[in-house]
Amino acid sequence: MPSHARPKPSRVPRALLRAGLVISAAGAALAAGGAATASAAPAASDLATDTGAAASGLTGALLHSAAGGLGPVKNLKLDPLANTSVDPLANAVSTQIADFKPVGTTLLTGALSNGAALKDLPLVGTVTRVLPG
C-alpha cells in the first residue's frame, strides 16, 4: 500500500478527548434533569402569558444545579496531607529584623496546613461566598 493511501493517525490528544467526554456526560446529566422539569412545565399557551415565571423557574433550576456542583468544591479540603507529620506546608520559616514585627510563611500556608477548605482561605474565601452552594 503506498504511503499516500494510508489513513493519517488522529492528532487529537487523549486528554482533549477525555475532557470532551466529561463535558458530554455533564450535558447529558443536565439535559436529563431539564427533561424531568420540562415534563412538569405548563402548556405552551400558559408560557406565552407567563414568561416571567418561566424565567424565574429556569434561574432557580440553574442556581440549584450550580449549588449542587459548587458546594462540594467549596468544602473540599485543599491539602490532603494537612495535620499529618509529612505535610510540607507545615514547615514554616520566619525571621525578625531588629525590632520590626516578625515575618513568616505561616501567614500564607498556615490555613492550608491546618486543613482549610477553599471557603476558609483568607482572600479566596470571601470571593467564594458569592458562588452558590
Side-chain angles (χ1 to χ4, degrees):
M1 175 179 225
S3 64
H4 67 276
R6 279 189 236 145
K8 292 184 178 181
S10 175
R11 301 277 180 179
V12 181
R14 287 183 151 240
L16 187 60
L17 290 174
R18 287 182 182 148
L21 183 62
V22 168
I23 290 171
S24 298
L30 286 175
T37 58
S39 64
S45 62
D46 294 339
L47 287 178
T49 58
D50 194 17
T51 57
S56 71
L58 180 62
T59 305
L62 181 63
L63 287 175
H64 182 70
S65 299
L70 293 175
V73 173
K74 289 170 47 174
N75 297 321
L76 184 67
K77 185 172 148 182
L78 295 175
D79 184 14
L81 298 174
N83 297 322
T84 64
S85 61
V86 293
D87 185 13
L89 296 177
N91 296 331
V93 177
S94 63
T95 185
Q96 181 177 4
I97 300 174
D99 59 346
F100 292 110
K101 194 176 187 180
V103 177
T105 59
T106 56
L107 180 64
L108 297 174
T109 62
L112 290 175
S113 66
N114 290 333
L118 188 63
K119 66 180 180 78
D120 300 327
L121 295 178
L123 296 175
V124 180
T126 56
V127 175
T128 58
R129 290 188 190 124
V130 175
L131 299 172

